Amino acid sequence: MESSLIRTTAADLYDAHVMKNYARAPLTLVRGRGAQVWDDAGQCYLDFTSGIAVSALGHCHPQWVAAVQRQAGELIHVSNLFRNPQQAELARRIVGYAGPGRVFFCNSGAEANEAMIKLSRLHGEKKAGEEGKCYKIIGAKNAFHGRTYGSMSATPQEKIQKHFRPLVPGFAFAEFNNLQSFADLIDDQMAAILIETIQGESGVVPGTVEFLRGLRELCNRHNLLLLLDEVQCGIGRTGSFYGFEYAGIQPDAIGMAKGLGGGYPIGAMWVRETAAELFQPGMHGTTYGGTPLACAAALAVLDVIEKEKLLEHVRAASVGWMEALQAMARDFPAQVLAVRGRGFLVGVQLASDPTPYVAALREGGLLTPSAGGNVVRLLPPLNATREELARSVEIFRTVLKAKA
Ligand SMILES: *Cc1c(COP(=O)(O)O)cnc(C)c1O
């Protein structure tokens, strides 16, 4: 009995029992510290996946671990039938970053976007004076908003929607970074515009300043809500707390998750004060949302971002890193078409399928996710050191040379 247990690897158990809905790398990770993770054979990797932009402080930051341990021994979950001080404080801190308004807590990015979609229905009902008349949302082509029915319906990608139609009605799609194409779709049934400030999954494509400002004006003119999905680009990843700050605009709602909990699942929707009263008791909810443990984890993330000045660090360290990546692109023009992004949200666009490159980078000691449009994404933790950033470029260069 014992020996058979020892011989059964995680890989065997995955093969036998875990749903086959992911294409996983052949790697079992068992331990992490900062930007490093180790597999079950003791091999160390530089982790620029960060659990897909989640582990904002790297793995097992001591202050985050202490906060979660302390809270786990104090109070873990009570539901939203009651108040808890951690949720109250986290809402105050988010309002401090986002502006006057209110916060709804959930557990993931898709749920934050679902809440924004439901918010748009409430706004449309108020606008038309009647339910079901004004309910449409304009989204962007190549967007990614999640895998639940509402968020998937807002995600116009064949590979994600195929097999699962019919979808939630009411979504129309325009060209990202093409303001006129959004303007062309506006009619009396439109309630909101929903976009990622920086399209992440489809290849790290930042919205231009003119585009984002233009959407804000369009929404003002037609009484539409501007809903920004900041699930990937928010919480310091670009070097400002929210990704949209470079455009100097104020959205009506923000969906966030990923980096917010630093590895513990939490999502949130912030709604500007002008729309914050649309949700009334009973209209929306989730059992786990804003539970003390999740909020304590998120508060620790915000505390460390502030105490260690990580926004300043991302802004400063990303300059030299981006220069080194651009130099790499110039040295390998046949393989690297472009490097783009902001702060620690970077995409290296290759001339061919990134899958073999991602595998070679892994074998070279660097974990990275790919993205649409032949892109390799680089998502270091916000506290990655300049040495770790430089090392990622070294490994990337070695792989490009070997594949040249
Ligand atoms: C990851 C992601 C989501 C979905 O978040 P989940 O937590 O996986 O539901 C939504 N929007 C964007 C921009 C994302 O990157």
Side-chain angles (χ1 to χ4, degrees):
M1 183 69 195
E2 223 167 64
S3 65
S4 83
L5 266 179
I6 286 163
R7 274 200 300 274
T8 305
T9 64
D12 296 331
L13 295 173
Y14 269 91
D15 278 349
H17 306 299
V18 177
M19 192 74 69
K20 294 180 172 178
N21 59 316
Y22 298 103
R24 288 177 214 269
L27 200 61
T28 303
L29 299 174
V30 295
R31 192 164 66 86
R33 282 291 176 282
Q36 296 183 306
V37 283
W38 285 263
D39 69 12
D40 56 356
Q43 184 70 40
C44 179
Y45 300 85
L46 186 57
D47 183 8
F48 278 19
T49 300
S50 296
I52 319 185
V54 165
S55 312
L57 310 180
H59 298 285
C60 303
H61 188 288
Q63 192 175 332
W64 187 94
V65 170
V68 170
Q69 283 176 338
R70 197 182 323 115
Q71 190 61 45
E74 191 72 27
L75 186 67
I76 294 171
H77 173 79
V78 291
S79 87
N80 286 293
L81 298 176
F82 310 99
R83 293 190 288 260
N84 74 75
Q86 289 72 30
Q87 184 178 145
E89 173 63 7
L90 183 58
R92 184 181 77 83
R93 299 280 288 274
I94 288 173
V95 165
Y97 281 109
R102 295 186 175 276
V103 186
F104 164 77
F105 290 103
C106 52
N107 316 288
S108 67
E111 283 174 85
N113 292 330
E114 287 292 335
M116 292 204 294
I117 293 165
K118 287 179 80 168
L119 178 78
S120 76
R121 294 282 177 111
L122 294 172
H123 175 72
E125 180 182 52
K126 190 176 162 198
K127 196 173 151 184
E130 192 181 340
E131 185 182 8
K133 281 276 184 295
C134 175
Y135 65 99
K136 291 187 178 169
I137 295 178
I138 311 176
K141 290 179 185 165
N142 297 321
F144 181 80
H145 295 295
R147 304 288 200 144
T148 56
Y149 257 90
S151 63
M152 175 178 66
S153 301
T155 299
Q157 297 187 40
E158 185 60 16
K159 66 172 193 232
I160 284 168
Q161 296 182 340
K162 191 174 160 54
H163 309 296
F164 300 111
R165 298 183 180 100
L167 302 171
V168 176
F171 290 93
F173 298 100
E175 299 285 337
F176 194 68
N177 276 336
N178 179 338
L179 190 59
Q180 190 57 46
S181 72
F182 277 78
D184 288 345
L185 289 175
I186 294 176
D187 61 24
D188 288 349
Q189 295 185 310
M190 286 299 167
I193 290 175
L194 167 64
I195 60 154
E196 296 160 87
T197 314
I198 299 176
Q199 290 194 326
E201 296 302 312
S202 66
V204 189
V205 183
T208 65
V209 171
E210 309 77 64
F211 175 63
L212 295 170
R213 288 190 182 159
L215 287 184
R216 179 66 272 178
E217 282 166 22
L218 215 51
C219 287
N220 291 350
R221 198 165 337 126
H222 297 277
N223 189 14
L224 309 176
L225 295 182
L226 180 59
L227 313 173
L228 291 185
D229 178 348
E230 288 261 334
V231 170
Q232 186 158 157
C233 65
I235 324 296
R237 182 135 295 275
T238 64
S240 53
F241 191 79
Y242 290 115
F244 62 79
E245 290 175 32
Y246 65 87
I249 57 161
Q250 180 76 312
D252 297 301
I254 305 168
M256 57 202 113
K258 290 199 168 113
L260 182 60
Y264 195 90
I266 183 169
M269 168 181 70
W270 168 89
V271 180
R272 196 175 180 173
E273 58 187 347
T274 48
E277 308 294 335
L278 288 171
F279 276 108
Q280 292 297 313
M283 287 185 179
H284 193 44
T286 167
T287 303
Y288 288 110
T291 212
L293 188 57
C295 292
L299 284 168
V301 169
L302 302 186
D303 286 343
V304 172
I305 285 176
E306 289 165 19
K307 199 173 96 192
E308 299 185 6
K309 300 197 185 327
L310 294 182
L311 301 183
E312 291 86 335
H313 170 68
V314 169
R315 282 200 295 273
S318 62
V319 175
W321 186 44
M322 184 51 96
E323 278 167 11
L325 288 166
Q326 297 288 5
M328 176 184 88
R330 284 194 297 277
D331 290 344
F332 296 91
Q335 291 157 283
V336 183
L337 300 186
V339 180
R340 55 175 180 260
R342 295 184 72 89
F344 284 5
L345 173 53
V346 167
V348 178
Q349 188 183 5
L350 302 177
S352 60
D353 179 11
T355 312
Y357 286 89
V358 167
L361 289 166
R362 184 176 69 237
E363 281 152 26
L366 176 65
L367 302 185
T368 62
S370 59
N374 291 338
V375 165
V376 173
R377 258 180 304 174
L378 298 171
L379 304 170
L382 306 186
N383 54 4
T385 63
R386 286 169 195 263
E387 291 70 35
E388 287 163 340
L389 297 172
R391 173 113 185 87
S392 73
V393 183
E394 254 171 56
I395 296 172
F396 216 130
R397 279 180 170 274
T398 308
V399 165
L400 290 167
K401 202 174 290 171
K403 288 194 175 293

